[in-house]
Amino acid sequence: MINIMFDHPDFVVIDKPTGVSVHKDDQAVSFVAKLQQQLNEPQLFLVHRLDKITSGLLILAKKTTANGLLSSTFQQRKIEKYYIALTDKRPSKKQGLVKGDMVRSRRGTWKLQRSAENPAISHFFSYGCEKGLRLFLIKPYTGKTHQIRVALKSLGSPIIGDKRYYPTPDETIDRGYLHAFALQFYYQDQLIQLHCMPNTGRLFTLESIQQQLSQLSKPWLLNWPKV
């Protein structure tokens, strides 16, 4: 069963599990079709997407009108998204902006360029935690493919468990440690504010991580710069 975080007559916000593709891929029944069955909804529309490794908050519209309205809100960058990620590598800077054009690289990966013609833009804060771990809180202002994964790799801090950007033979790593943590947006003059703690991943359960996440449950209150 998929955890439902917010149920509105026009849309639903779920906690997408890690390791699940929102596309049909090779699945006999797509993720969206399974969710339709669970909610007894005749049709659901993906308003946005999360990578397969990413867990957390995902919006699906129940109606075509709601899909158009929410999709337009996304395109206008009026839906604030906040992600968390874990790394075991020290970043080149502990907070700030990552900005640059993204270009295709080898084997389905992307890389960040210094140019800024149509840049991916992300702001982040990071926090030192136990056992050499660092927790990132990231607010992307754009929605490019693999944007956060590439941004953190460009800082020298690839995400633990991201097999595409940080391959490692360590068999104790149980997931990709990227999670869609919070959302803030207006829908028909109603303010929607949601946050979702990760519910899988051994490292996410560490006490220092849990304590830091509890302090970040309202990330929209932090001093994010305007872009």
Side-chain angles (χ1 to χ4, degrees):
M1 296 285 287
I2 303 300
N3 292 331
I4 308 303
M5 305 304 297
F6 186 81
D7 197 359
H8 185 280
D10 292 350
F11 64 91
V12 63
V13 184
I14 66 162
D15 177 7
K16 184 190 92 66
T18 185
V20 173
S21 174
V22 297
H23 305 286
K24 186 172 182 181
D25 295 339
D26 296 327
Q27 305 169 81
V29 181
S30 73
F31 169 75
V32 175
K34 291 178 182 178
L35 189 58
Q36 288 173 184
Q37 294 172 4
Q38 176 180 328
L39 298 177
N40 196 27
E41 290 287 344
Q43 195 165 18
L44 291 171
F45 305 89
L46 280 167
V47 175
H48 61 120
R49 288 166 172 76
L50 295 177
D51 290 345
K52 187 174 182 178
I53 76 164
T54 310
S55 58
L57 295 173
L58 180 69
I59 307 172
L60 298 99
K62 299 178 181 179
K63 305 174 182 179
T64 54
T65 51
N67 184 41
L69 181 57
L70 288 165
S71 297
S72 176
T73 305
F74 253 104
Q75 291 170 3
Q76 296 172 38
R77 302 179 185 176
K78 293 182 179 179
I79 295 184
E80 297 178 16
K81 301 171 290 180
Y82 302 90
Y83 293 77
I84 55 171
L86 282 180
T87 183
D88 55 5
K89 300 292 184 183
R90 182 176 297 179
S92 56
K93 56 182 179 180
K94 295 182 179 179
Q95 68 180 59
L97 197 67
V98 178
K99 180 178 180 179
D101 292 322
M102 290 178 57
V103 297
R104 288 187 181 275
S105 188
R106 297 178 296 173
R107 300 174 183 174
T109 63
W110 295 75
K111 61 182 179 181
L112 201 68
Q113 303 281 83
R114 292 185 178 181
S115 60
E117 295 178 10
N118 183 24
I121 304 171
S122 304
H123 195 278
F124 71 95
F125 296 103
S126 71
Y127 309 87
C129 300
E130 63 185 75
K131 300 179 181 178
L133 296 176
R134 181 162 287 272
L135 174 70
F136 278 82
L137 175 66
I138 311 107
K139 181 181 181 181
Y141 294 91
T142 51
K144 310 289 186 181
T145 301
H146 295 182
Q147 176 172 326
I148 294 173
R149 297 160 70 182
V150 172
L152 295 194
K153 181 171 175 107
S154 76
L155 294 170
S157 298
I159 297 168
I160 295 171
D162 187 346
K163 295 179 181 179
R164 185 163 290 184
Y165 293 96
Y166 190 19
T168 173
D170 188 348
E171 296 181 359
T172 66
I173 297 174
D174 54 359
R175 61 162 291 175
Y177 279 84
L178 178 61
H179 178 76
F181 183 58
L183 290 169
Q184 176 177 253
F185 61 98
Y186 280 92
Y187 183 78
Q188 296 181 337
D189 297 325
Q190 179 184 0
L191 177 61
I192 311 293
Q193 294 176 319
L194 299 169
H195 91 278
C196 171
M197 295 286 281
N199 57 29
T200 62
R202 177 180 56 83
L203 298 179
F204 276 144
T205 67
L206 294 174
E207 184 177 357
S208 64
I209 303 294
Q210 289 286 307
Q211 288 178 349
Q212 188 63 64
L213 289 178
S214 67
Q215 297 175 28
L216 298 174
S217 62
K218 296 181 180 180
W220 42 81
L221 296 181
L222 295 177
N223 187 25
W224 299 96
K226 293 183 179 181
V227 175

